[in-house]
Amino acid sequence: MSFDTAALTGGVPCLDHAGLHALAQRFGTPAYVYDLAAVREAADALRADLPAGAALLYSVKANPHPLVVRELAGCGLRTEISSLGELAAVRSAGARCADALYTGPGKTPGELRGALDAGVRHFSVESLADRDRLARACRDTGTRAEYLVRLNGPRGSSGGSLRMTGRPTTFGTDWQAREELAALFTPAGPTRPVGTHTFSATNVEDPRALAVELRQALATSVEVARSAGFVPELLDLGGGFPAPMARPGPLPRFPALAGTLAAAVDAHFPGSVLEGRPGVAFETGRHVTAAAGTLLTTVVDVKRSGDRTFVVLDAGVNVLGGMSGLGRLMAPRTVPVPVVPAEEAGPPTAPAPSRAERVSLVGPLCTPLDVLNPAADLADPRPGQVLAVPNTGAYGLTASLLGFLSRPTPVEITVDGCAVVAARQLTLQTTGVDVNA
């Protein structure tokens, strides 16, 4: 479903509580609101915290909305994609396919050909088989490609909500597999290696642990390349930049990170002139989109069972946090904030502790697993109340169980400051397959 863009444009109340309530009344709930101004602010802040000259890639999986992708491309971020669907989002956003990095452990021949046909020329390869598939796809399409060798390096710290390396994993080639790495760092037909790719953990909340992870990624990349006699042009150190999810809280900053990493690069390449050093790249998804998103939901019912109070929302794991059951995301532990219409809005104040009630926030799905927070404090919950869940711009809608129970998907509203830019609603479609083909 789409909405008339001409009817959407114009000023709306800024995204205070009254403004969010107005959007809920206008578009219904559940609804996601993405603020492009917040996207720009987060991207600019992160770039300021990274070493000068470092490249920054946006992991489209965090939020593939084309307007979000477009905004980040305008901020100078390249894209990191792992499917043809994400590539379609990049194309829809008008971002350069030639700047995209295509990653993932299970790239099929068809995917690779499709990416090459679209103009993608940079890939991360996970194994010799993956590299050879890329080489065949290049020959099939008459193209050439460059690739990074993805490494499974040693563990850097104990931080992160999800570990990607430092143990047996599907990602990358073990950093001590010398023979396989030597082969991967050797050009194959129309492909050539240009560097290394690491990504050790996601959402590393402790800034010191994050610095340890990135320094370890740098040290591993340098050691592996030198052991193979390979001179890298680019070291992609991944990310792990954190952000709060589905609860109030500021986006963290890393004022010491740029100096720490610059010193680490100097230590590995002493005396090198700038032109003789490899470039350094980082990846981010949640950090540049989380704070830009707000989920609007309405209380459908308040039910008491035994000594517990259940607040039933029109948003559940089909809308937020559905992938937590797969271990991909931490359970959101949603902490919503009530919003009220402008005529009822006063100075923003926290509810008095005596008014807060301990409740279980649950969704509308017909399963006891549809829980957004088993123990939340909510003041005076009542049917019809509109709640805003902050910091939901990353791993929200498209990281949820959209098809479960076949419920309608939320509206996605994009704003820029006080202006509504667009609104859309994703739909699930059924297409027939010719069984006689």
Side-chain angles (χ1 to χ4, degrees):
M1 183 185 301
S2 60
F3 297 84
D4 182 2
T5 303
L8 294 172
T9 55
V12 298
C14 290
L15 294 186
D16 54 13
H17 287 194
L20 290 171
H21 192 278
L23 290 176
Q25 294 298 111
R26 184 174 180 182
F27 294 101
T29 63
Y32 275 95
V33 183
Y34 308 130
D35 187 354
L36 299 179
V39 170
R40 292 192 297 272
E41 181 180 350
D44 290 344
L46 181 56
R47 295 193 69 157
D49 288 345
L50 295 176
L56 187 58
L57 282 69
Y58 172 54
S59 296
V60 175
K61 61 178 70 66
N63 187 332
H65 195 296
L67 293 182
V68 172
V69 177
R70 178 183 299 173
E71 201 65 33
L72 288 166
C75 293
L77 276 69
R78 294 170 53 194
T79 54
E80 181 265 321
I81 57 176
S82 298
S83 72
L84 293 182
E86 290 183 352
L87 176 57
V90 169
R91 300 181 74 176
S92 178
R96 281 171 47 87
C97 294
D99 289 338
L101 174 67
Y102 202 112
T103 71
K107 299 181 285 290
T108 67
E111 284 182 78
L112 292 168
R113 289 193 296 269
L116 290 164
D117 284 339
V120 178
R121 294 294 181 267
H122 306 281
F123 296 81
S124 171
V125 302
E126 307 268 349
S127 65
L128 280 172
D130 194 25
R131 192 276 308 276
D132 292 344
R133 277 193 299 271
L134 175 61
R136 287 193 295 271
C138 285
R139 286 191 287 267
D140 291 345
T141 56
T143 57
R144 304 187 67 84
E146 298 178 343
Y147 64 85
L148 304 176
V149 176
R150 183 155 183 176
L151 304 174
N152 176 16
R155 191 183 186 99
S157 77
S158 59
S161 58
L162 184 69
R163 300 298 310 182
M164 309 289 284
T165 58
R167 61 184 183 185
T169 176
T170 186
F171 296 106
T173 298
D174 287 353
W175 68 287
Q176 294 175 315
R178 303 302 188 189
E179 291 186 9
E180 185 172 359
L181 288 168
L184 281 167
F185 285 121
T186 302
T191 67
R192 78 177 186 97
V194 294
T196 60
H197 181 202
T198 58
F199 201 115
S200 58
T202 68
N203 203 30
V204 183
E205 294 185 350
D206 183 347
R208 291 168 298 182
L210 178 62
V212 169
E213 293 285 356
L214 294 173
R215 288 201 307 267
Q216 179 66 69
L218 174 63
T220 301
S221 299
V222 171
E223 179 179 344
V224 167
R226 286 177 176 166
S227 176
F230 175 72
V231 179
E233 300 173 25
L234 178 66
L235 304 176
D236 184 336
L237 304 182
F241 306 105
M245 180 179 182
R247 55 180 171 83
L251 200 62
R253 293 292 302 270
F254 317 99
L257 191 60
T260 297
L261 295 178
V265 172
D266 288 342
H268 286 292
F269 300 95
S272 298
V273 296
L274 186 60
E275 292 78 7
R277 294 183 176 185
V280 177
F282 300 90
E283 300 171 20
T284 181
R286 79 175 73 238
H287 190 81
V288 291
T289 56
T294 302
L295 172 63
L296 300 176
T297 180
T298 300
V299 176
V300 177
D301 202 353
V302 179
K303 304 172 66 173
R304 289 171 175 83
S305 178
D307 61 351
R308 297 182 65 185
T309 299
F310 293 86
V311 175
V312 184
L313 309 177
D314 61 2
V317 294
N318 60 317
V319 168
L320 177 68
M323 286 185 69
S324 62
L326 302 177
R328 177 61 183 87
L329 300 171
M330 296 178 65
R333 294 283 177 168
T334 301
V335 180
V337 178
V339 297
V340 296
E343 58 270 20
E344 299 178 21
T349 57
S354 60
R355 292 182 53 207
E357 180 180 356
R358 180 58 57 90
V359 302
S360 294
L361 294 177
V362 299
L365 306 184
C366 191
T367 170
L369 301 178
D370 190 14
V371 179
L372 295 183
N373 192 335
D377 292 326
L378 193 61
D380 189 27
R382 61 193 183 277
Q385 186 180 40
V386 178
L387 305 177
V389 184
N391 289 315
T392 50
Y395 298 107
L397 180 59
T398 54
S400 298
L401 304 180
L402 292 178
F404 189 45
L405 268 71
S406 301
R407 295 182 67 87
T409 58
V411 176
E412 293 179 288
I413 308 160
T414 308
V415 303
D416 195 338
C418 298
V420 176
V421 176
R424 72 173 191 176
Q425 187 172 22
L426 299 178
T427 58
L428 301 177
Q429 297 180 332
T430 301
T431 57
V433 175
D434 186 355
V435 298
N436 297 314

